[in-house]
Amino acid sequence: MDLAYSEEEEEFRAGLRKWLASVLPALPPRPDPRDWPARRAYDCGWQRGLYDAGYADVHWDASPTRRLIFLEESERAGAPYVGANFVGLLHAGPTIAAEGTKAQRERWLPPVLRGDEVWCQGFSEPDAGSDLASLRTRAVRDGDAYVVTGQKIWTSHAEVADWCELLVRTDASAPRHRGITWLAMPMDATGITVRPLRTLAGSTEFAEVFLDEVRVPVENRIGEENDGWRVTMVTLSFERGTAFVGEVVACRRVLAELARAARASGAWDDDVLRRRIGRLSAEFRALWRLTQWNVSEAEASGGVPGIGGSVFKLRYSHARQELYDTAAAVLGPDALDLGREWNLDRLSSLSYTIAAGTSQIQRNIVAERILGLPKGR
Amino acid sequence: MDFRLTEDQQALKAGVRALLERRFDREALRAAVEAGGTLDRALWRELGVAGFFALRLPEQEGGVGLGLPEAVLLFEEAGRALLPGPLIATHLAAGEVPGAAEGKTVVTRPDGALVDWLDEADVVVDESVGAGGGRESVEAVRRRAEPVRSVDPLTPLHRLPVAGPGPVPADAILLAAAEQLGSAARTTETAVQHARERAQFGQPIGAFQAVKHLCAEMLVRTEVARAAVYAAAVTADPVEIAGAKLLADEAAVRCARDCLQVHGGMGFTWEADVHLHLKRAWVRAERWLPAAAAEEREAAALLGTPAEAA
Ligand SMILES: Cc1cc2nc3c(=O)[nH]c(=O)nc-3n(C[C@H](O)[C@H](O)[C@H](O)COP(=O)(O)OP(=O)(O)OC[C@H]3O[C@@H](n4cnc5c(N)ncnc54)[C@H](O)[C@@H]3O)c2cc1C
């Protein structure tokens, strides 16, 4: 049980802290959240800055501990989050790094690192959500290309993406998990229609993507044909394992702000509310410690996050909702004013128990894969 | 940083588990329940010999010379096994009260209005009486104490007329949290095992999602508490310890409740061990910094104001 960072890790932290302090003041103002092209430009600009300073590959190549330090320091300094580069840096990139050929890694990884290309994730379909393996978007081999027809939904950042990590069915007669293939689809290909969907927060974070005989070169296939499910599991373990580190740090900051706001408004004198805030503080510190635990395990297992991510995600997604519900309790009637801080975050927190595997699905995973309870329907 | 247990720590944990399985098995546990509040002095002595109480005393003082993380692992195992007795008070008294380190003396200490194992104790340490760890003779304390019909058959309790909320040492709070963690882990395992074995409607009940999800939540609570308790053992920060106690209390009580539910009618019997875990968890949750006080400590720390001595 050692929570101290090594000298080398502390050096990395110090250098990073210094660099963040030097670049953040010169950062342009954050774009309007509704202006997607501006958001893309902003997020890619930040990624480019990281690249030039030598921090671009921290999400994949560096040790999990360095990643932890990076996300911790970035959040503390108020640096931008990955934003539109989320899929490229945290899903598609790591998958290609783990499963792609040398040529594929050379083709797709550098542009993600430089902030030149943005990825989206085309997994979910109208009839394949939690039951992802029932996906039906079809890909038929025609010479050196797959011809893809079908529909994806809830595709975040689809409007501004250059590439889509796409799951398709290449063998309809095989058992469900064995007929799926992972493709890198260029979003400017003929036959793709993107129709934005409005979220309950009013923004258009995700979209429907219609695919009508889209030609995707065979060389864009990651892994073997019909081996896409296994390739996907690599991606999902990344999604659940390390994606939320920065957010936990952010939640702890929000909580401290909330405490100060409560004191200023007098809400702090309410015993129930004050103790609720106190409990949340214990909760988020524990989630931070659990992250350190998971990172230590990942470090020991060679970098691939394990199923401990499901334990974390379950607890964190509910804690985040409780945090913003508590913020609303502090705000009182002001919780109804979307112009006030925290209220939009409260709305977006509602997606946490759904996106990237619902809480029910996470409980199934924990019960069946960690506890070894029998599979059921 | 490597938060995982070192090999030595794993070996220590496994060693204590083996000792308790050998020396305090289920039969001994049930015998202790029926003995109704008498302490097995021979076992106490053996714990002393094994270094349970002297674990954190420096080697030159006859101790084992280990730290809070190791103590936490020990108490986690004690909680798992439902080991009875004023373990924390005696562990804390090692090096201060003669015989405590060796398991020759049984030491208790009041916490708020309650004191446990008073009839069996040789020494009462009460920091609220007199300055600097004042001590009062056991007889004197017994005279002013009033027996309580303790909810937990494994924790005899007395109530003191004047509540002496002396400062509870942070390590006592953490060790109580560690016991809660061990109990939570145990009830989670027990529930999962029962869910695999018990069949209804032609399948193991663990294949029903309603049962499966109860078990999943039990594991989540336990593992979150584990991260909190272990980290607090490393930092020894009083606020972090308060938070760890809060989460461990919740894990122990809720996991015992869910374990009871998974056992059906059997869970409501005296015969099943579940109630022993639940009742002990209730006792520990009420003592050594109960939830409201822990929440207040956390809240105060958020504003950077010093926590009141709670
Ligand atoms: C903000 C946001 C962003 C997203 N971004 C992307 C993206 O970029 N790319 C992408 O591919 N997808 C994305 N998704 C989709 C997301 O992965 C799915 O919404 C999710 O997997 C659930 O699928 P569903 O919406 O079809 O719900 P359903 O699967 O229909 O679930 C409905 C309800 O049934 C429950 N349920 C379903 N199956 C079971 C079961 N076996 N046991 C118990 N309960 C069950 C669920 O828990 C849920 O409560 C995003 C979703 C959100 C909210």
Side-chain angles (χ1 to χ4, degrees):
Chain A
M1 284 185 218
D2 182 7
L3 290 171
Y5 294 96
S6 70
E7 206 172 303
E8 197 196 328
E9 287 159 353
E10 286 298 355
E11 253 166 49
F12 172 76
R13 182 195 296 280
L16 176 62
R17 196 174 276 187
K18 212 166 124 199
W19 178 75
L20 285 169
S22 72
V23 295
L24 287 180
L27 211 65
R30 298 210 177 191
D32 184 322
R34 283 160 302 189
D35 185 349
W36 267 104
R39 277 174 71 175
R40 179 194 154 119
Y42 181 86
D43 295 340
C44 289
W46 174 245
Q47 182 58 29
R48 179 67 200 213
L50 288 173
Y51 178 82
D52 290 338
Y55 291 115
D57 66 349
V58 75
H59 294 289
W60 323 327
D61 281 358
S63 77
T65 311
R66 276 161 85 107
R67 195 178 316 144
L68 190 77
I69 294 171
F70 175 82
L71 292 168
E72 195 185 338
E73 288 300 322
S74 299
E75 179 49 47
R76 284 220 175 111
Y81 192 48
V82 285
N85 293 306
F86 187 77
V87 175
L89 288 169
L90 293 161
H91 300 185
T95 306
I96 294 170
E99 298 288 330
T101 62
K102 184 160 179 287
Q104 289 173 330
R105 292 199 301 272
E106 281 167 2
R107 164 63 192 88
W108 282 299
L109 300 188
V112 169
L113 293 177
R114 282 194 307 262
D116 288 342
E117 290 181 350
V118 167
W119 284 70
C120 62
Q121 184 189 58
F123 286 10
S124 303
E125 297 182 4
D127 288 331
S130 299
D131 187 11
L132 185 58
S134 70
L135 63 91
R136 288 203 304 244
T137 291
R138 227 157 47 93
V140 180
R141 188 82 175 253
D142 178 27
D144 58 0
Y146 288 102
V147 180
V148 183
T149 299
Q151 186 193 338
K152 294 291 172 180
I153 194 168
W154 320 126
T155 317
S156 304
H157 312 142
E159 282 177 89
V160 293
D162 304 294
W163 293 94
C164 178
E165 49 167 344
L166 190 71
L167 288 185
V168 293
R169 185 152 307 278
T170 34
D171 185 350
S173 61
R176 299 168 353 124
H177 296 88
R178 302 226 186 88
I180 294 170
T181 300
W182 199 108
L183 297 177
M185 178 178 76
M187 287 298 283
D188 60 0
T190 315
I192 302 179
T193 309
V194 175
R195 193 194 294 160
L197 291 166
R198 202 159 176 223
T199 71
L200 59 71
S203 54
T204 53
E205 299 288 327
F206 47 29
E208 290 176 293
V209 178
F210 299 91
L211 306 168
D212 182 16
E213 302 201 346
V214 181
R215 290 186 74 85
V216 180
V218 170
E219 65 194 29
N220 287 19
R221 186 186 71 217
I222 305 295
E224 295 302 310
E225 187 170 288
N226 298 327
D227 194 30
W229 186 257
R230 191 190 54 79
V231 174
T232 304
M233 285 303 115
V234 174
T235 314
L236 290 184
S237 72
F238 275 98
E239 184 172 21
R240 285 166 198 162
T242 49
F244 301 110
V245 173
E247 293 192 12
V248 173
V249 182
C251 285
R252 295 184 71 186
R253 179 172 43 73
V254 169
L255 200 58
E257 287 166 11
L258 197 60
R260 285 193 290 275
R263 185 169 56 181
S265 75
W268 193 250
D269 298 331
D270 175 341
D271 289 355
V272 173
L273 192 50
R274 186 178 62 248
R275 288 176 190 165
R276 187 172 168 189
I277 293 172
R279 180 172 281 269
L280 272 170
S281 189
E283 179 77 20
F284 280 105
R285 189 191 306 99
L287 283 165
W288 173 246
R289 297 309 193 187
L290 185 60
T291 304
Q292 289 180 309
W293 183 271
N294 286 343
V295 163
S296 295
E297 301 241 292
E299 195 87 64
S301 70
V304 177
I307 37 183
S310 285
V311 170
F312 175 84
K313 197 213 170 226
L314 257 175
R315 185 80 170 217
Y316 169 63
S317 50
H318 289 270
R320 188 177 175 97
Q321 292 176 352
E322 166 65 7
L323 170 67
Y324 287 108
D325 285 344
T326 307
V330 169
L331 288 175
D334 284 346
L336 306 179
D337 175 2
L338 288 182
R340 288 292 300 260
E341 201 179 13
W342 301 322
N343 293 328
L344 275 173
D345 292 319
R346 185 187 192 198
L347 292 181
S348 79
S349 77
L350 298 171
S351 74
Y352 277 68
T353 46
I354 298 166
T358 69
S359 290
Q360 285 72 33
I361 296 302
Q362 304 293 348
R363 287 188 196 107
N364 288 348
I365 292 174
V366 169
E368 290 167 11
R369 298 207 209 134
I370 305 181
L371 297 176
L373 287 170
K375 277 201 183 256
R377 311 215 125 230
Chain B
M1 179 191 77
D2 189 354
F3 196 3
R4 294 171 312 145
L5 271 56
T6 62
E7 274 176 29
D8 284 350
Q9 287 170 338
Q10 285 174 19
L12 176 78
K13 199 164 188 279
V16 184
R17 184 171 300 187
L19 169 78
L20 293 179
E21 274 169 3
R22 196 174 61 245
R23 200 47 195 80
F24 191 67
D25 59 5
R26 178 144 200 285
E27 218 173 293
L29 169 69
R30 299 310 300 205
V33 170
E34 296 322 317
T38 46
L39 202 59
D40 179 349
R41 288 281 183 156
L43 174 57
W44 202 254
R45 186 84 179 85
E46 268 184 66
L47 291 172
V49 171
F52 201 95
F53 304 117
L55 187 85
R56 289 188 296 148
L57 272 190
E59 284 175 82
Q60 54 269 34
E61 291 173 37
V64 188
L66 291 172
L68 205 46
E70 286 76 21
V72 154
L73 297 176
L74 240 62
F75 278 79
E76 181 188 339
E77 291 304 318
R80 187 190 160 83
L82 283 169
L83 188 64
L87 297 161
I88 296 174
T90 305
H91 177 95
L92 255 55
E96 308 268 333
V97 175
E102 299 85 4
K104 288 181 188 154
T105 309
V106 175
V107 182
T108 188
R109 65 188 293 153
D111 172 46
L114 293 176
V115 56
D116 62 351
W117 293 99
L118 186 59
D119 287 338
E120 291 288 311
D122 306 311
V123 174
V124 180
V125 173
D126 187 351
E127 277 157 16
S128 65
V129 181
R135 246 164 255 165
E136 199 180 351
S137 77
V138 194
E139 292 72 29
V141 180
R142 280 192 195 130
R143 271 196 298 279
R144 58 188 186 92
E146 187 191 307
V148 170
R149 262 184 70 198
S150 174
V151 66
D152 177 18
L154 286 169
T155 313
L157 290 171
H158 281 77
R159 192 184 289 110
L160 298 171
V162 241
V168 181
D171 46 358
I173 298 168
L174 183 64
L175 296 179
E179 287 190 49
Q180 296 286 55
L181 168 63
S183 173
R186 183 58 179 267
T187 50
T188 301
E189 272 171 37
T190 309
V192 169
Q193 197 185 342
H194 186 72
R196 280 207 203 107
E197 288 165 2
R198 168 75 175 165
Q200 284 292 278
F201 298 96
Q203 62 176 31
I205 56 167
F208 294 113
Q209 213 171 50
V211 172
K212 198 177 269 186
H213 286 192
L214 275 185
C215 294
E217 285 297 331
M218 291 170 81
L219 184 79
V220 170
R221 268 183 238 121
T222 304
E223 292 311 307
V224 170
R226 183 185 306 284
V229 169
Y230 286 4
V234 174
T235 65
D237 174 73
V239 179
E240 182 148 15
I241 287 174
K245 174 70 166 36
L246 191 60
L247 296 176
D249 282 346
E250 184 193 38
V253 171
R254 301 257 337 254
C255 287
R257 293 285 287 264
D258 289 349
C259 181
L260 196 156
Q261 184 67 21
V262 168
H263 278 77
M266 181 58 82
F268 191 66
T269 64
W270 186 263
E271 191 48 39
D273 293 342
V274 193
H275 73 109
L276 300 175
H277 278 282
L278 178 58
K279 290 165 178 174
R280 186 79 80 85
W282 277 338
V283 170
R284 291 191 205 103
E286 210 41 61
R287 306 188 74 220
W288 317 110
L289 200 71
E295 286 167 352
E296 291 290 2
R297 250 186 220 191
E298 283 280 9
L302 269 179
L303 285 180
T305 47
E308 297 157 45

